[in-house]
């Protein structure tokens, strides 16, 4: 495996941990805390970093099938974090989150997990 892709794989795993902690906290506590904002934002930033490393280390180009899935998952993450930040700006810390945002957040995290697992399987069983 290319060293840049390997770094990307490690960074994406940290993104999974960070975004996962933030997403699960949102679902469990149903309110916005400083920790939720930090973990979700860090997860998205790490995801962007991982994408850069994986594209740089890939020989398949920018628009592979898994790449497009990954971009769609990242877009759902960005929208999720933007919605939660907007809720924070409007209502402040420790404010409740609407059910529609909770549902979107759950779907976003689920989609991102599916794409993460798909990418992991592609590394285990390359084509």
């Amino acid at each position: 495996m290319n060293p840049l892709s390997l770094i990307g794989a490690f960074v994406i795993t940290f993104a999974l941990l960070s975004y996962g902690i933030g997403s699960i906290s949102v679902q469990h506590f149903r309110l916005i805390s400083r920790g939720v904002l930090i973990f979700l934002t860090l997860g998205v930033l790490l995801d962007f970093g991982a994408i850069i490393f994986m594209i740089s280390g890939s020989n398949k180009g920018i628009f592979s099938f898994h790449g497009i899935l990954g971009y769609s998952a990242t877009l759902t993450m960005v929208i999720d974090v933007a919605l939660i930040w907007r809720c924070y700006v409007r209502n402040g810390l420790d404010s409740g989150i609407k059910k529609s945002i909770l549902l979107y957040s759950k779907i976003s995290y689920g989609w991102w997990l599916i794409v993460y697992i798909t990418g992991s399987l592609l590394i285990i069983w390359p084509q």
Side-chain angles (χ1 to χ4, degrees), residues 40-69:
L40 289 176
T41 304
L42 182 61
V44 169
L45 294 175
L46 288 168
D47 191 56
F48 280 130
I51 289 170
I52 291 167
F53 279 114
M54 287 188 263
I55 288 173
S56 299
S58 174
N59 58 0
K60 295 183 181 180
I62 295 175
F63 296 110
S64 66
F65 178 68
H66 178 68
I68 292 170
L69 291 177

PDB file of all heavy atoms in Angstrom, residues 40-69:
ATOM      1  N   LEU A  40     -17.488  16.568  16.496  1.00  0.00           N
ATOM      2  CA  LEU A  40     -18.052  16.548  15.147  1.00  0.00           C
ATOM      3  C   LEU A  40     -17.188  17.350  14.176  1.00  0.00           C
ATOM      4  O   LEU A  40     -16.888  16.889  13.068  1.00  0.00           O
ATOM      5  CB  LEU A  40     -19.477  17.086  15.147  1.00  0.00           C
ATOM      6  CG  LEU A  40     -20.539  16.206  15.791  1.00  0.00           C
ATOM      7  CD1 LEU A  40     -21.885  16.922  15.807  1.00  0.00           C
ATOM      8  CD2 LEU A  40     -20.666  14.870  15.082  1.00  0.00           C
ATOM      9  N   THR A  41     -16.778  18.542  14.595  1.00  0.00           N
ATOM     10  CA  THR A  41     -15.954  19.387  13.725  1.00  0.00           C
ATOM     11  C   THR A  41     -14.605  18.737  13.456  1.00  0.00           C
ATOM     12  O   THR A  41     -14.133  18.713  12.308  1.00  0.00           O
ATOM     13  CB  THR A  41     -15.774  20.785  14.355  1.00  0.00           C
ATOM     14  OG1 THR A  41     -17.064  21.351  14.611  1.00  0.00           O
ATOM     15  CG2 THR A  41     -14.984  21.702  13.435  1.00  0.00           C
ATOM     16  N   LEU A  42     -13.982  18.195  14.480  1.00  0.00           N
ATOM     17  CA  LEU A  42     -12.703  17.510  14.310  1.00  0.00           C
ATOM     18  C   LEU A  42     -12.856  16.309  13.381  1.00  0.00           C
ATOM     19  O   LEU A  42     -11.994  16.050  12.531  1.00  0.00           O
ATOM     20  CB  LEU A  42     -12.146  17.074  15.667  1.00  0.00           C
ATOM     21  CG  LEU A  42     -10.783  16.393  15.661  1.00  0.00           C
ATOM     22  CD1 LEU A  42      -9.719  17.323  15.094  1.00  0.00           C
ATOM     23  CD2 LEU A  42     -10.418  15.962  17.071  1.00  0.00           C
ATOM     24  N   GLY A  43     -13.961  15.585  13.505  1.00  0.00           N
ATOM     25  CA  GLY A  43     -14.209  14.445  12.624  1.00  0.00           C
ATOM     26  C   GLY A  43     -14.260  14.845  11.159  1.00  0.00           C
ATOM     27  O   GLY A  43     -13.678  14.182  10.297  1.00  0.00           O
ATOM     28  N   VAL A  44     -14.936  15.956  10.875  1.00  0.00           N
ATOM     29  CA  VAL A  44     -15.021  16.438   9.490  1.00  0.00           C
ATOM     30  C   VAL A  44     -13.650  16.903   9.001  1.00  0.00           C
ATOM     31  O   VAL A  44     -13.250  16.588   7.871  1.00  0.00           O
ATOM     32  CB  VAL A  44     -16.071  17.565   9.366  1.00  0.00           C
ATOM     33  CG1 VAL A  44     -15.983  18.248   8.017  1.00  0.00           C
ATOM     34  CG2 VAL A  44     -17.468  17.010   9.575  1.00  0.00           C
ATOM     35  N   LEU A  45     -12.929  17.634   9.831  1.00  0.00           N
ATOM     36  CA  LEU A  45     -11.599  18.103   9.424  1.00  0.00           C
ATOM     37  C   LEU A  45     -10.645  16.939   9.174  1.00  0.00           C
ATOM     38  O   LEU A  45      -9.883  16.945   8.187  1.00  0.00           O
ATOM     39  CB  LEU A  45     -11.026  19.049  10.483  1.00  0.00           C
ATOM     40  CG  LEU A  45     -11.762  20.379  10.653  1.00  0.00           C
ATOM     41  CD1 LEU A  45     -11.178  21.168  11.813  1.00  0.00           C
ATOM     42  CD2 LEU A  45     -11.732  21.189   9.362  1.00  0.00           C
ATOM     43  N   LEU A  46     -10.689  15.937  10.041  1.00  0.00           N
ATOM     44  CA  LEU A  46      -9.857  14.749   9.829  1.00  0.00           C
ATOM     45  C   LEU A  46     -10.268  14.006   8.558  1.00  0.00           C
ATOM     46  O   LEU A  46      -9.421  13.476   7.836  1.00  0.00           O
ATOM     47  CB  LEU A  46      -9.931  13.819  11.044  1.00  0.00           C
ATOM     48  CG  LEU A  46      -9.203  14.298  12.288  1.00  0.00           C
ATOM     49  CD1 LEU A  46      -9.596  13.446  13.496  1.00  0.00           C
ATOM     50  CD2 LEU A  46      -7.702  14.282  12.081  1.00  0.00           C
ATOM     51  N   ASP A  47     -11.562  13.971   8.284  1.00  0.00           N
ATOM     52  CA  ASP A  47     -12.051  13.329   7.066  1.00  0.00           C
ATOM     53  C   ASP A  47     -11.495  14.035   5.829  1.00  0.00           C
ATOM     54  O   ASP A  47     -11.042  13.385   4.889  1.00  0.00           O
ATOM     55  CB  ASP A  47     -13.575  13.307   7.054  1.00  0.00           C
ATOM     56  CG  ASP A  47     -14.123  12.422   5.957  1.00  0.00           C
ATOM     57  OD1 ASP A  47     -13.759  11.235   5.920  1.00  0.00           O
ATOM     58  OD2 ASP A  47     -14.927  12.919   5.142  1.00  0.00           O
ATOM     59  N   PHE A  48     -11.515  15.369   5.842  1.00  0.00           N
ATOM     60  CA  PHE A  48     -10.937  16.120   4.720  1.00  0.00           C
ATOM     61  C   PHE A  48      -9.453  15.803   4.557  1.00  0.00           C
ATOM     62  O   PHE A  48      -8.971  15.602   3.443  1.00  0.00           O
ATOM     63  CB  PHE A  48     -11.117  17.632   4.908  1.00  0.00           C
ATOM     64  CG  PHE A  48     -12.477  18.138   4.534  1.00  0.00           C
ATOM     65  CD1 PHE A  48     -13.173  18.945   5.421  1.00  0.00           C
ATOM     66  CD2 PHE A  48     -13.063  17.838   3.325  1.00  0.00           C
ATOM     67  CE1 PHE A  48     -14.423  19.430   5.099  1.00  0.00           C
ATOM     68  CE2 PHE A  48     -14.315  18.313   2.983  1.00  0.00           C
ATOM     69  CZ  PHE A  48     -15.003  19.120   3.879  1.00  0.00           C
ATOM     70  N   GLY A  49      -8.737  15.763   5.676  1.00  0.00           N
ATOM     71  CA  GLY A  49      -7.314  15.422   5.620  1.00  0.00           C
ATOM     72  C   GLY A  49      -7.087  14.033   5.053  1.00  0.00           C
ATOM     73  O   GLY A  49      -6.197  13.817   4.220  1.00  0.00           O
ATOM     74  N   ALA A  50      -7.891  13.081   5.497  1.00  0.00           N
ATOM     75  CA  ALA A  50      -7.761  11.708   5.006  1.00  0.00           C
ATOM     76  C   ALA A  50      -8.040  11.627   3.512  1.00  0.00           C
ATOM     77  O   ALA A  50      -7.347  10.906   2.779  1.00  0.00           O
ATOM     78  CB  ALA A  50      -8.708  10.788   5.772  1.00  0.00           C
ATOM     79  N   ILE A  51      -9.038  12.370   3.058  1.00  0.00           N
ATOM     80  CA  ILE A  51      -9.355  12.383   1.624  1.00  0.00           C
ATOM     81  C   ILE A  51      -8.154  12.869   0.820  1.00  0.00           C
ATOM     82  O   ILE A  51      -7.802  12.281  -0.206  1.00  0.00           O
ATOM     83  CB  ILE A  51     -10.602  13.257   1.344  1.00  0.00           C
ATOM     84  CG1 ILE A  51     -11.852  12.567   1.860  1.00  0.00           C
ATOM     85  CG2 ILE A  51     -10.731  13.562  -0.142  1.00  0.00           C
ATOM     86  CD1 ILE A  51     -13.087  13.441   1.838  1.00  0.00           C
ATOM     87  N   ILE A  52      -7.521  13.925   1.296  1.00  0.00           N
ATOM     88  CA  ILE A  52      -6.351  14.467   0.590  1.00  0.00           C
ATOM     89  C   ILE A  52      -5.242  13.420   0.520  1.00  0.00           C
ATOM     90  O   ILE A  52      -4.650  13.196  -0.542  1.00  0.00           O
ATOM     91  CB  ILE A  52      -5.868  15.766   1.264  1.00  0.00           C
ATOM     92  CG1 ILE A  52      -6.898  16.866   1.033  1.00  0.00           C
ATOM     93  CG2 ILE A  52      -4.501  16.177   0.744  1.00  0.00           C
ATOM     94  CD1 ILE A  52      -6.696  18.098   1.882  1.00  0.00           C
ATOM     95  N   PHE A  53      -4.965  12.753   1.653  1.00  0.00           N
ATOM     96  CA  PHE A  53      -3.918  11.720   1.649  1.00  0.00           C
ATOM     97  C   PHE A  53      -4.291  10.565   0.723  1.00  0.00           C
ATOM     98  O   PHE A  53      -3.448  10.065  -0.026  1.00  0.00           O
ATOM     99  CB  PHE A  53      -3.673  11.184   3.063  1.00  0.00           C
ATOM    100  CG  PHE A  53      -2.779  12.051   3.894  1.00  0.00           C
ATOM    101  CD1 PHE A  53      -3.266  12.704   5.006  1.00  0.00           C
ATOM    102  CD2 PHE A  53      -1.438  12.209   3.571  1.00  0.00           C
ATOM    103  CE1 PHE A  53      -2.443  13.499   5.786  1.00  0.00           C
ATOM    104  CE2 PHE A  53      -0.601  13.001   4.332  1.00  0.00           C
ATOM    105  CZ  PHE A  53      -1.113  13.657   5.449  1.00  0.00           C
ATOM    106  N   MET A  54      -5.537  10.115   0.777  1.00  0.00           N
ATOM    107  CA  MET A  54      -5.929   8.954  -0.035  1.00  0.00           C
ATOM    108  C   MET A  54      -5.942   9.270  -1.518  1.00  0.00           C
ATOM    109  O   MET A  54      -5.559   8.426  -2.332  1.00  0.00           O
ATOM    110  CB  MET A  54      -7.274   8.416   0.442  1.00  0.00           C
ATOM    111  CG  MET A  54      -7.148   7.702   1.767  1.00  0.00           C
ATOM    112  SD  MET A  54      -8.642   6.857   2.251  1.00  0.00           S
ATOM    113  CE  MET A  54      -9.366   8.043   3.329  1.00  0.00           C
ATOM    114  N   ILE A  55      -6.361  10.481  -1.877  1.00  0.00           N
ATOM    115  CA  ILE A  55      -6.314  10.858  -3.297  1.00  0.00           C
ATOM    116  C   ILE A  55      -4.871  10.937  -3.765  1.00  0.00           C
ATOM    117  O   ILE A  55      -4.525  10.457  -4.854  1.00  0.00           O
ATOM    118  CB  ILE A  55      -7.042  12.200  -3.536  1.00  0.00           C
ATOM    119  CG1 ILE A  55      -8.550  12.011  -3.393  1.00  0.00           C
ATOM    120  CG2 ILE A  55      -6.713  12.760  -4.910  1.00  0.00           C
ATOM    121  CD1 ILE A  55      -9.343  13.304  -3.437  1.00  0.00           C
ATOM    122  N   SER A  56      -4.010  11.531  -2.931  1.00  0.00           N
ATOM    123  CA  SER A  56      -2.591  11.656  -3.295  1.00  0.00           C
ATOM    124  C   SER A  56      -1.919  10.292  -3.450  1.00  0.00           C
ATOM    125  O   SER A  56      -1.020  10.136  -4.284  1.00  0.00           O
ATOM    126  CB  SER A  56      -1.842  12.465  -2.232  1.00  0.00           C
ATOM    127  OG  SER A  56      -2.376  13.757  -2.132  1.00  0.00           O
ATOM    128  N   GLY A  57      -2.346   9.316  -2.664  1.00  0.00           N
ATOM    129  CA  GLY A  57      -1.726   7.996  -2.723  1.00  0.00           C
ATOM    130  C   GLY A  57      -2.410   7.020  -3.651  1.00  0.00           C
ATOM    131  O   GLY A  57      -1.936   5.906  -3.854  1.00  0.00           O
ATOM    132  N   SER A  58      -3.507   7.432  -4.250  1.00  0.00           N
ATOM    133  CA  SER A  58      -4.275   6.521  -5.100  1.00  0.00           C
ATOM    134  C   SER A  58      -3.798   6.584  -6.546  1.00  0.00           C
ATOM    135  O   SER A  58      -3.424   7.628  -7.056  1.00  0.00           O
ATOM    136  CB  SER A  58      -5.758   6.892  -5.048  1.00  0.00           C
ATOM    137  OG  SER A  58      -6.489   6.101  -5.960  1.00  0.00           O
ATOM    138  N   ASN A  59      -3.873   5.445  -7.198  1.00  0.00           N
ATOM    139  CA  ASN A  59      -3.573   5.408  -8.626  1.00  0.00           C
ATOM    140  C   ASN A  59      -4.861   5.320  -9.442  1.00  0.00           C
ATOM    141  O   ASN A  59      -4.815   5.159 -10.645  1.00  0.00           O
ATOM    142  CB  ASN A  59      -2.641   4.236  -8.952  1.00  0.00           C
ATOM    143  CG  ASN A  59      -3.237   2.910  -8.530  1.00  0.00           C
ATOM    144  OD1 ASN A  59      -4.351   2.847  -8.002  1.00  0.00           O
ATOM    145  ND2 ASN A  59      -2.481   1.847  -8.754  1.00  0.00           N
ATOM    146  N   LYS A  60      -6.009   5.420  -8.788  1.00  0.00           N
ATOM    147  CA  LYS A  60      -7.293   5.298  -9.471  1.00  0.00           C
ATOM    148  C   LYS A  60      -7.892   6.649  -9.846  1.00  0.00           C
ATOM    149  O   LYS A  60      -8.955   6.713 -10.439  1.00  0.00           O
ATOM    150  CB  LYS A  60      -8.288   4.535  -8.591  1.00  0.00           C
ATOM    151  CG  LYS A  60      -7.868   3.100  -8.364  1.00  0.00           C
ATOM    152  CD  LYS A  60      -8.878   2.347  -7.577  1.00  0.00           C
ATOM    153  CE  LYS A  60      -8.393   0.920  -7.366  1.00  0.00           C
ATOM    154  NZ  LYS A  60      -9.312   0.135  -6.605  1.00  0.00           N
ATOM    155  N   GLY A  61      -7.252   7.741  -9.459  1.00  0.00           N
ATOM    156  CA  GLY A  61      -7.770   9.058  -9.795  1.00  0.00           C
ATOM    157  C   GLY A  61      -8.783   9.552  -8.767  1.00  0.00           C
ATOM    158  O   GLY A  61      -9.092   8.881  -7.784  1.00  0.00           O
ATOM    159  N   ILE A  62      -9.293  10.711  -9.032  1.00  0.00           N
ATOM    160  CA  ILE A  62     -10.193  11.381  -8.093  1.00  0.00           C
ATOM    161  C   ILE A  62     -11.593  10.766  -8.113  1.00  0.00           C
ATOM    162  O   ILE A  62     -12.274  10.727  -7.100  1.00  0.00           O
ATOM    163  CB  ILE A  62     -10.267  12.886  -8.419  1.00  0.00           C
ATOM    164  CG1 ILE A  62      -8.914  13.530  -8.180  1.00  0.00           C
ATOM    165  CG2 ILE A  62     -11.318  13.584  -7.584  1.00  0.00           C
ATOM    166  CD1 ILE A  62      -8.845  14.983  -8.590  1.00  0.00           C
ATOM    167  N   PHE A  63     -12.039  10.285  -9.256  1.00  0.00           N
ATOM    168  CA  PHE A  63     -13.418   9.855  -9.395  1.00  0.00           C
ATOM    169  C   PHE A  63     -13.578   8.345  -9.527  1.00  0.00           C
ATOM    170  O   PHE A  63     -14.184   7.847 -10.463  1.00  0.00           O
ATOM    171  CB  PHE A  63     -14.076  10.570 -10.583  1.00  0.00           C
ATOM    172  CG  PHE A  63     -14.167  12.049 -10.381  1.00  0.00           C
ATOM    173  CD1 PHE A  63     -13.382  12.913 -11.124  1.00  0.00           C
ATOM    174  CD2 PHE A  63     -15.011  12.576  -9.432  1.00  0.00           C
ATOM    175  CE1 PHE A  63     -13.449  14.276 -10.930  1.00  0.00           C
ATOM    176  CE2 PHE A  63     -15.093  13.943  -9.225  1.00  0.00           C
ATOM    177  CZ  PHE A  63     -14.305  14.793  -9.980  1.00  0.00           C
ATOM    178  N   SER A  64     -13.077   7.611  -8.560  1.00  0.00           N
ATOM    179  CA  SER A  64     -13.335   6.173  -8.508  1.00  0.00           C
ATOM    180  C   SER A  64     -14.710   5.956  -7.881  1.00  0.00           C
ATOM    181  O   SER A  64     -15.306   6.877  -7.306  1.00  0.00           O
ATOM    182  CB  SER A  64     -12.263   5.472  -7.665  1.00  0.00           C
ATOM    183  OG  SER A  64     -12.358   5.893  -6.314  1.00  0.00           O
ATOM    184  N   PHE A  65     -15.225   4.753  -7.965  1.00  0.00           N
ATOM    185  CA  PHE A  65     -16.536   4.457  -7.375  1.00  0.00           C
ATOM    186  C   PHE A  65     -16.530   4.720  -5.870  1.00  0.00           C
ATOM    187  O   PHE A  65     -17.417   5.388  -5.342  1.00  0.00           O
ATOM    188  CB  PHE A  65     -16.931   3.005  -7.661  1.00  0.00           C
ATOM    189  CG  PHE A  65     -18.243   2.610  -7.045  1.00  0.00           C
ATOM    190  CD1 PHE A  65     -19.431   3.161  -7.510  1.00  0.00           C
ATOM    191  CD2 PHE A  65     -18.297   1.709  -5.995  1.00  0.00           C
ATOM    192  CE1 PHE A  65     -20.645   2.818  -6.942  1.00  0.00           C
ATOM    193  CE2 PHE A  65     -19.500   1.365  -5.419  1.00  0.00           C
ATOM    194  CZ  PHE A  65     -20.682   1.913  -5.893  1.00  0.00           C
ATOM    195  N   HIS A  66     -15.494   4.218  -5.187  1.00  0.00           N
ATOM    196  CA  HIS A  66     -15.417   4.445  -3.743  1.00  0.00           C
ATOM    197  C   HIS A  66     -15.196   5.926  -3.432  1.00  0.00           C
ATOM    198  O   HIS A  66     -15.701   6.438  -2.438  1.00  0.00           O
ATOM    199  CB  HIS A  66     -14.314   3.605  -3.098  1.00  0.00           C
ATOM    200  CG  HIS A  66     -14.193   3.856  -1.634  1.00  0.00           C
ATOM    201  ND1 HIS A  66     -15.169   3.494  -0.742  1.00  0.00           N
ATOM    202  CD2 HIS A  66     -13.239   4.487  -0.912  1.00  0.00           C
ATOM    203  CE1 HIS A  66     -14.817   3.875   0.473  1.00  0.00           C
ATOM    204  NE2 HIS A  66     -13.645   4.476   0.393  1.00  0.00           N
ATOM    205  N   GLY A  67     -14.460   6.617  -4.280  1.00  0.00           N
ATOM    206  CA  GLY A  67     -14.243   8.050  -4.087  1.00  0.00           C
ATOM    207  C   GLY A  67     -15.548   8.822  -4.114  1.00  0.00           C
ATOM    208  O   GLY A  67     -15.798   9.681  -3.266  1.00  0.00           O
ATOM    209  N   ILE A  68     -16.398   8.511  -5.067  1.00  0.00           N
ATOM    210  CA  ILE A  68     -17.696   9.193  -5.170  1.00  0.00           C
ATOM    211  C   ILE A  68     -18.557   8.878  -3.953  1.00  0.00           C
ATOM    212  O   ILE A  68     -19.216   9.765  -3.394  1.00  0.00           O
ATOM    213  CB  ILE A  68     -18.395   8.824  -6.491  1.00  0.00           C
ATOM    214  CG1 ILE A  68     -17.595   9.427  -7.658  1.00  0.00           C
ATOM    215  CG2 ILE A  68     -19.837   9.318  -6.509  1.00  0.00           C
ATOM    216  CD1 ILE A  68     -18.016   8.955  -9.015  1.00  0.00           C
ATOM    217  N   LEU A  69     -18.549   7.614  -3.509  1.00  0.00           N
ATOM    218  CA  LEU A  69     -19.272   7.276  -2.275  1.00  0.00           C
ATOM    219  C   LEU A  69     -18.716   8.071  -1.098  1.00  0.00           C
ATOM    220  O   LEU A  69     -19.472   8.592  -0.272  1.00  0.00           O
ATOM    221  CB  LEU A  69     -19.164   5.778  -1.980  1.00  0.00           C
ATOM    222  CG  LEU A  69     -19.880   4.808  -2.895  1.00  0.00           C
ATOM    223  CD1 LEU A  69     -19.586   3.371  -2.465  1.00  0.00           C
ATOM    224  CD2 LEU A  69     -21.364   5.073  -2.907  1.00  0.00           C
TER     225      LEU A  69
END
